[in-house]
Amino acid sequence: MSSPSILGGTSLFTGFTKLCKGLAVVLVAGHIVVQILPPAVNYLALIPARTIPFVWNLITAGYIEQSIYGVVASTLCLLIMGKLLEQVWGSKEFLKFIFIANFLISVCVFITAISLYYITRRENYLYMPISGFQGILAGFLVGIKQIIPDQELSLLRIKAKWFSSLMLLIAIAISFFTAESATYLPTLIFGTYMSWIYLRYFQRKPETKLRGDPSDEFAFSSFFPEFLRPIIDPIASIFHRMLCGRFETSTEDHGDTLGGAPLPGSDPIEATRRRERGARALEERLATAPSAEELNKDALENV
């Protein structure tokens, strides 16, 4: 039996963590800075032609929202999704995930922009300021897919495991009708893919000293409809061998370890336990959140 849905319940807008609130302040502060000092965008956003020598924009770009709509949406999504992921992963791992994913996204976007310039010779790829928290939010959706794949969004009855895929599908569809897609689409794509790679192969579990999530439910093909998986799996296996093939070649001599450390994604049981912890986190949060009836009762008593 599925647990109550935090994704559509009364606890959706309550219980925000201190870390998430602090990160929200960073987003708001970044937006205020670029509004008061517009030239700051040239130093804080990712502008490929200026990344060298301004290499710090590989880090700062992810926290700079240039529009009021962007900062409001990013702040709300950070608070709502972050409180769940932080509770399951822990504050240290949650912050580590944001930092690593943000940096990898920026590097990939930088390389893509430079490559597109050399292919097309269009200078707008070099001087277009790219920034925003949307890449990290795409990564959050991957994290939610991992820990509560069968949880449903009560409003639309869509399972959490499809959030990432649906988000990318909508973003790609919109990109055909807007010229602004170059500023967000690569960030969303790399945010999803790099976050999946980190969670799939490299995220460490301090309590077990294991890394990654090898479960079939979190395979790359799980982002696609069932009928496409026979096509996707052989392609994904190539990248799998690239990422951990060098570890697997040593298993005959060292079992399932490398130098005493477990291989990336070497324990499917731990992956199942992680999803169970995610479900428990939802239930605990719902148990401590006041119900709608209690809120109405309190309101009537205060009248």
Side-chain angles (χ1 to χ4, degrees):
M1 184 175 66
S2 61
S3 61
S5 176
I6 192 175
L7 301 176
T10 58
S11 62
L12 187 64
F13 297 102
T14 60
F16 302 134
T17 66
K18 292 182 179 179
L19 178 56
C20 288
K21 291 177 182 178
L23 291 169
V25 170
V26 171
L27 293 181
V28 174
H31 174 71
I32 293 174
V33 167
V34 296
Q35 294 303 309
I36 296 176
L37 301 171
V41 172
N42 297 327
Y43 300 94
L44 299 177
L46 176 61
I47 301 178
R50 297 175 179 173
T51 297
I52 300 174
F54 302 154
V55 292
W56 59 79
N57 63 34
L58 292 173
I59 297 175
T60 59
Y63 308 103
I64 301 299
E65 289 289 353
Q66 299 182 48
S67 72
I68 184 63
Y69 305 106
V71 72
V72 170
S74 293
T75 300
L76 288 176
C77 291
L78 164 63
L79 293 172
I80 293 170
M81 292 190 286
K83 67 179 180 181
L84 173 60
L85 294 173
E86 184 182 349
Q87 185 171 353
V88 176
W89 291 345
S91 299
K92 183 178 179 180
E93 175 58 33
F94 178 67
L95 193 60
K96 178 182 175 182
F97 170 83
I98 292 176
F99 180 82
I100 292 177
N102 177 59
F103 179 73
L104 292 177
I105 292 166
S106 294
V107 171
C108 290
V109 170
F110 170 75
I111 294 173
T112 300
I114 296 296
S115 301
L116 288 173
Y117 165 72
Y118 280 110
I119 292 172
T120 66
R121 293 296 175 176
R122 294 175 57 183
E123 291 190 354
N124 63 307
Y125 289 118
L126 294 181
Y127 294 98
M128 180 183 301
I130 301 172
S131 67
F133 202 66
Q134 64 268 17
I136 302 300
L137 297 179
F140 285 175
L141 291 178
V142 177
I144 289 175
K145 170 186 173 67
Q146 179 193 43
I147 62 176
I148 49 169
D150 295 320
Q151 187 72 29
E152 289 187 343
L153 182 65
S154 58
L155 182 62
L156 301 176
R157 311 302 296 179
I158 299 175
K159 291 186 176 181
K161 64 182 179 181
W162 296 116
F163 289 176
S164 292
S165 304
L166 184 60
M167 176 271 298
L168 285 178
L169 181 63
I170 294 173
I172 292 172
I174 293 175
S175 69
F176 288 105
F177 304 98
T178 174
E180 301 297 323
S181 60
T183 62
Y184 69 83
L185 188 57
T187 304
L188 293 176
I189 293 174
F190 288 123
T192 300
Y193 188 57
M194 301 310 295
S195 297
W196 174 80
I197 287 178
Y198 174 74
L199 296 174
R200 177 72 167 175
Y201 297 105
F202 300 108
Q203 186 184 50
R204 289 185 177 274
K205 307 294 177 244
E207 67 276 12
T208 61
K209 297 183 179 180
L210 297 174
R211 291 183 292 171
D213 182 347
S215 63
D216 292 337
E217 293 83 359
F218 197 57
F220 182 69
S221 59
S222 68
F223 287 86
F224 298 85
E226 189 73 32
F227 70 91
L228 290 177
R229 294 180 186 178
I231 301 174
I232 301 299
D233 279 330
I235 300 174
S237 66
I238 298 175
F239 293 94
H240 173 79
R241 288 193 293 270
M242 291 172 58
L243 285 168
C244 59
R246 63 189 180 93
F247 298 106
E248 292 175 347
T249 57
S250 63
T251 56
E252 294 182 359
D253 297 327
H254 300 87
D256 288 333
T257 64
L258 180 66
L263 295 176
S266 59
D267 190 357
I269 296 177
E270 172 59 23
T272 301
R273 290 174 178 170
R274 188 183 304 111
R275 286 189 292 275
E276 291 175 351
R277 288 198 299 271
R280 286 199 299 271
L282 284 174
E283 293 173 356
E284 291 172 0
R285 188 169 293 279
L286 287 170
T288 58
S291 66
E293 292 181 359
E294 291 173 341
L295 292 173
N296 291 335
K297 183 178 178 181
D298 292 341
L300 290 173
E301 290 177 352
N302 292 330
V303 174

